[in-house]
Amino acid sequence: MTALTDHVPDKHIHPAAPRKSLGTTAWENLPQALVKLDPRHLVRQPVIFVVWVGSVLTTVLSVLDSSVFSVLITLWLWATLIFANLAEAIAEGRGKAQAASLRQTRVDTAARRLLADGSEEQISGQDLKVGDRVVVEAGQVIPGDGDVVEGVATVDESAITGESAPVIRESGGDRSAVTGGTTVLSDRIVVQITSKPGESFIDKMIALVEGAARQKTPNEVALSILLTVLTIIFLLAVMALQPMAIYSGDRLHLVVLVALLVCLIPTTIGALLSAIGIAGMDRLVQRNVLAMSGRAVEAAGDVSTLLLDKTGTITFGNRQAADVLPVAGVDRTELLRAAYLSSLADETPEGRSIVDYALAQGFTADITSTPELLRTGAEFVPFTAQTRMSGVDLPDGSRVRKGAGSAVAAWVHAEAGHMAHDVDEAVDTVSRAGGTPLVVAVQDVGMPPRQLGVIFLKDVVKPGMRERFDQLREMGIRTVMITGDNPLTAASIAAEAGVDDYLAEATPEDKMRLIKAEQQGGRLVAMAGDGTNDAPALAQADVGVAMNTGTSAAKEAGNMVDLDSDPTKLIDIVGIGKQLLITRGALTTFSIANDVAKYFAIIPAMFVGIFPGLAALNVMGLSSPKSAMLAAVIFNALIIVALIPLSLRGVAYRPLSATAMLRRNLLVYGLGGLIAPFVGIKVIDLLVSLLPGMA
């Protein structure tokens, strides 16, 4: 993993799905935009459905009483509908292209299922059930999603992530999950299947990127309700104009009333709203992050507390044993032996590094392998997040433990009733150096437990992290580092990285309590995790980002999956979520300001014949009422096309305070929304006034 000092470059789920120019994409998606003219589709978008009803009405009126004005108004109303559908079709089209490339990775693979007696049988991958164990060797395709329960291998995941570099998948730890359809390049592994046929990770990815699983987010629903209410209000207002006109001695043509209604209602944001949401999820997909729902993307934009695991996120994560510090009266060889034995059952990278370090220091175990220990009756105590210790109970009755200082101290105290050796000074020395201390203790037969010394695990903070956290602070986001290290080590790393707070010696229960406490204060919480012990916290967090390399339980619990398994990407996910909210807000601001400007073009033109005094409001100096109406309708359609690239790309996000962001939006999109119609409608009016029948 590398530290991110800027946004992650855009990547694609599959290299066979390159980006095309907007013009090419628009032409390719035009047929789909025409299909979306079906009223059964448009009825789900009330604003656009009103435009469709108006277009049908003006079409009938143009046939019954044809004129250049009515025909042109009708054609541009239909163009407005097509442009509105085109924005959504382009956004969906990108997902369909990615889904098509993913479907190419799905093959019916033969599986070597392990039977209870240790023998194998060949079956189709479609016949596998949850809990089955399969053998996969070099050159073979993994038949289904699962966790590696035996062995270690390099795996080609380019079909999923687009990355050609192979990755390591191994039993134990948090890098055990494998995805069906990927290929083992070396060695042999045993995989326990965790998903049913048809419900694999690739199947879920296809549904998500294709848009089939997308639902409107709460903010999107709220904005849709607001737009619907505004549409109803303007509909009632337009319906009231005809009686007023008749009372004043004139009658307005129905085509004019429809044109007025379409220009008054918020058609711009109504047309782009769906595309903005789809494009937000698409931007995550470009960065190899799958959002299980639009709600998660939206929540990322409102996150106020960010929980980050220390190992692999803030630090490089490859903690390695660098030294051992024996206490007074303990021989270094004795400490190395105990460290070696207590780490044999520890499948974490740290545990394995301790075994390697002990052997590299010249220690030769009297019993050197795990199988030999098991044959002699030894019982291993594996490391867990709850006990934070690992060790072994030897056949002679002696016991060896290694783990966090407080956990080992509690074990020693519970067994002996007093502290055999004080290792606080050694623990503090390692902690102040920014390392992770692991205390080693042993209990000989008939003797109380005694602490032998401390193992020094060394880790390094990733470069650029302080700058990233400074950016988050400017955005109003509080960062909390979560670690299983003791408070001194946690404080040292937190100060070096520049986080706002830290949680030391964290258990899964501690993470849950912290998340709930933040949420009770009205804050939205985001966190990243990869282990089974992270699953409860991922499920509780408002934005839970599971690593693709993590366990199946973690991926099921989170509402996002990072295919690159880069926890620092959580910072970019927050930026993308904020960009989605800013884009929606900016275009809504532009749309409303845009509509206000159109009122000055249309209303004076409509009623100047009845109330000549309204001519003073014709500040644009438009040629005639008909040309003014047609120019406004044309501008209303073209502005949708002009804003499609912005809705798909998103408004550029900068880490600003809410006040500064609002000020910027009002100046750029509010003021721009007022000025653009004055310029655009005037230019179009000069052109359409040359047409016959526009006087």
Side-chain angles (χ1 to χ4, degrees), residues 378-526:
E379 294 184 6
F380 285 112
V381 179
F383 175 86
T384 68
Q386 286 74 25
T387 63
R388 293 183 295 131
M389 287 195 306
S390 65
V392 60
D393 294 340
L394 297 173
D396 62 3
S398 61
R399 299 190 295 172
V400 185
R401 295 291 184 271
K402 170 219 69 188
S406 59
V408 174
W411 180 73
V412 170
H413 184 273
E415 296 294 332
H418 64 279
M419 299 292 288
H421 283 283
D422 185 2
V423 296
D424 290 344
E425 185 176 344
V427 168
D428 290 349
T429 299
V430 174
S431 299
R432 290 194 182 96
T436 300
L438 295 179
V439 178
V440 181
V442 63
Q443 182 181 23
D444 295 322
V445 180
M447 300 292 291
R450 55 193 178 95
Q451 294 171 318
L452 303 180
V454 174
I455 302 170
F456 186 162
L457 294 180
K458 190 174 182 180
D459 205 349
V460 179
V461 174
K462 295 180 179 180
M465 293 307 297
R466 177 174 286 275
E467 290 75 11
R468 297 304 299 276
F469 292 137
D470 288 341
Q471 291 178 6
L472 289 169
R473 201 169 291 111
E474 291 176 7
M475 295 157 50
I477 297 176
R478 175 171 169 265
T479 53
V480 180
M481 181 186 78
I482 299 178
T483 176
D485 293 336
N486 66 69
L488 277 176
T489 301
S492 175
I493 297 294
E496 184 179 353
V499 296
D500 297 312
D501 202 353
Y502 63 89
L503 177 65
E505 297 183 339
T507 64
E509 293 76 18
D510 293 332
K511 297 178 186 178
M512 285 287 289
R513 280 193 292 269
L514 176 60
I515 293 174
K516 289 180 179 179
E518 292 288 329
Q519 291 171 333
Q520 287 173 359
R523 292 176 287 271
L524 295 186
V525 180

Side-chain angles (χ1 to χ4, degrees), residues 216-261:
K216 287 187 176 182
T217 63
N219 282 355
E220 196 173 344
V221 170
L223 184 55
S224 298
I225 293 173
L226 174 62
L227 298 182
T228 302
V229 171
L230 290 175
T231 301
I232 294 173
I233 291 173
F234 284 122
L235 178 61
L236 295 175
V238 170
M239 291 172 61
L241 291 178
Q242 187 69 290
M244 293 173 60
I246 294 173
Y247 178 78
S248 301
D250 199 357
R251 179 182 291 272
L252 298 173
H253 197 284
L254 284 178
V255 173
V256 174
L257 289 174
V258 171
L260 172 64
L261 176 62

Side-chain angles (χ1 to χ4, degrees), residues 159-180:
I160 307 298
T161 65
E163 291 288 345
S164 57
V167 295
I168 302 295
R169 293 292 176 263
E170 56 189 336
S171 61
D174 296 330
R175 292 184 175 270
S176 60
V178 291
T179 305

Side-chain angles (χ1 to χ4, degrees), residues 115-139:
L115 301 178
D117 60 2
S119 62
E120 299 178 10
E121 65 172 348
Q122 290 276 351
I123 64 170
S124 169
Q126 295 297 316
D127 296 330
L128 289 173
K129 300 177 182 178
V130 175
D132 284 348
R133 295 193 173 195
V134 296
V135 177
V136 190
E137 294 184 341

Side-chain angles (χ1 to χ4, degrees), residues 628-646:
M629 290 294 302
L630 181 58
V633 171
I634 294 175
F635 178 83
N636 193 61
L638 294 180
I639 197 64
I640 295 174
V641 178
L643 292 175
I644 288 178
L646 184 60

Side-chain angles (χ1 to χ4, degrees), residues 362-376:
F363 166 71
T364 303
D366 47 0
I367 303 178
T368 58
S369 68
T370 301
E372 290 176 5
L373 279 173
L374 290 174
R375 279 197 294 271
T376 59

